[in-house]
């Protein structure tokens, strides 16, 4: 049973449990995908039914961000913790390096995925990066073919939402990969193009504030966090 937060069902897992679930999906064979919704995703689903369905159909739905955790609390069905997509990815990377699983990196500006690959191979010795591709392509078919011929087990799909979720749904099965994860700006972080917030911000659940200070143009997008909390209050009052 998933925990419903304003129409999006979340898996109520710790980071450890999420990582284990991810590993099981890779081992299970067949195609699976993971999504990491934040408050912005939840609001976007209200206007985009296809995106909503993509989130509902995912094999693993992880609450990326404190806004989702607060909303769940307001709704009276608390989640154990937030599970930032990037931390989930890091856990999986360590496991992949140990188990010789093949990783493909898809997304971000040209050159970023290669730089991310180089950095990740240093951090996780033994990690097999079987291919990379930037996120600014016009046709899907050649990219699908690249992933297929690289025999990827896992693909980090970093095209921003909702593009990455729809891409996984439409193209994932044809790639032969076992697990795709929609990870937004993660390749920029792995490549060192964008820094994650300092640990103190992370601990306090204030990563959004750090990002806002670094990128003030995000103010419009971030105003969605209080809006989601407000909707949660409304839903609670209406008894949903
Ligand atoms: N991106 C991409 N192709 C596109 C649009 C975006 O590869 O057509 C990349 C962009 O370069 C960035 C990532 O998608 O690396 C997502 O960026 P953003 O920070 O908006 O995502 P968030 O993490 O906030 O969802």
């Amino acid at each position: 049973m998933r925990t419903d937060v304003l129409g999006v069902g979340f898996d109520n897992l710790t980071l450890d449990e999420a990582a284990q679930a991810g590993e099981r999906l890779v081992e299970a064979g067949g195609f699976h995908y993971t999504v990491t919704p934040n408050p912005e995703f939840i609001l976007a689903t209200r206007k985009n039914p296809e995106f909503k369905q993509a989130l509902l159909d995912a094999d693993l739905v992880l609450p990326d961000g404190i806004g989702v955790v607060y909303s769940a609390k307001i709704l009276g069905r608390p989640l154990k913790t937030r599970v930032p997509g990037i931390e989930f990815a890091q856990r999986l990377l360590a496991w992949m390096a140990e188990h010789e699983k093949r990783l493909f990196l898809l997304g971000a500006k040209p050159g970023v995925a290669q730089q991310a690959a180089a950095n990740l191979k240093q951090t996780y010795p033994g990690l097999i990066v079987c291919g990379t591709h930037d996120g600014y392509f016009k046709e899907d078919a050649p990219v699908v073919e690249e992933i297929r011929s690289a025999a990827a087990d896992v693909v980090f799909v970093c095209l921003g939402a909702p593009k990455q979720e729809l891409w996984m749904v439409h193209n994932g099965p044809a790639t032969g990969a076992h697990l795709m994860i929609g990870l937004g700006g993660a390749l920029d972080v792995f490549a060192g193009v964008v820094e994650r917030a300092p640990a103190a911000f992370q601990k306090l659940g204030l990563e959004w504030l750090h990002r806002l200070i670094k990128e003030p143009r995000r103010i419009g997008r971030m105003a969605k966090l209080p809006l989601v909390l407000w909707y949660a209050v409304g839903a609670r009052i209406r008894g949903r």
Side-chain angles (χ1 to χ4, degrees):
M1 257 286 277
R2 285 192 167 148
T3 302
D4 181 89
V5 179
L6 302 169
V8 177
F10 286 85
D11 290 301
N12 187 13
L13 304 172
T14 63
L15 179 59
D16 275 344
E17 291 165 344
Q20 282 160 17
E23 291 161 16
R24 280 199 298 274
L25 291 175
V26 180
E27 296 286 21
F31 173 69
H32 308 275
Y33 69 100
T34 296
V35 294
T36 58
N38 60 29
E40 212 179 329
F41 284 44
I42 294 178
L43 292 182
T45 60
R46 301 185 152 221
K47 292 185 184 141
N48 186 341
E50 199 190 358
F51 180 39
K52 181 170 184 174
Q53 199 57 49
L55 298 185
L56 292 176
D57 291 344
D59 297 275
L60 202 49
V61 185
L62 304 175
D64 184 297
I66 202 72
V68 178
V69 172
Y70 284 157
S71 301
K73 205 169 184 181
I74 291 169
L75 286 161
R77 29 181 184 268
L79 290 162
K80 287 180 191 168
T81 177
R82 74 197 170 108
V83 180
I86 199 135
E87 290 178 18
F88 171 72
Q90 285 164 333
R91 296 295 286 266
L92 208 59
L93 286 164
W95 176 82
M96 289 179 70
E98 267 173 36
H99 293 79
E100 296 181 3
K101 301 295 179 191
R102 300 168 69 81
L103 174 69
F104 193 103
L105 301 177
L106 174 62
K109 298 203 175 113
V112 173
Q114 283 105 311
Q115 183 59 54
N119 294 354
L120 290 177
K121 281 193 273 189
Q122 281 216 329
T123 311
Y124 304 93
L127 180 71
I128 305 167
V129 182
C130 62
T132 60
H133 198 292
D134 71 75
Y136 295 86
F137 50 89
K138 295 233 155 49
E139 284 183 46
D140 293 339
V143 179
V144 168
E145 191 42 46
E146 242 182 78
I147 297 172
R148 173 172 276 286
S149 51
D153 294 300
V154 176
V155 186
F156 290 176
V157 184
C158 303
L159 306 172
K163 194 172 175 180
Q164 63 199 11
E165 286 73 22
L166 301 180
W167 201 89
M168 295 193 287
V169 169
H170 294 146
N171 300 292
T175 63
H178 301 311
L179 181 63
M180 285 191 171
I181 311 164
L183 281 173
L187 292 183
D188 295 317
V189 175
F190 291 141
V193 177
V194 172
E195 272 174 45
R196 254 199 107 183
F201 280 81
Q202 290 182 31
K203 256 202 195 126
L204 294 170
L206 291 176
E207 259 179 284
W208 59 271
L209 179 61
H210 179 262
R211 202 157 180 193
L212 188 59
I213 295 165
K214 290 270 173 187
E215 296 175 71
R217 66 186 165 80
R218 284 182 168 263
I219 187 80
R221 289 174 64 172
M222 294 212 170
K224 291 179 177 163
L225 192 134
L227 190 57
V228 142
L229 299 181
W230 181 243
Y231 283 144
V233 170
R236 179 75 193 255
I237 290 167
R238 288 196 305 276
R240 278 201 259 145

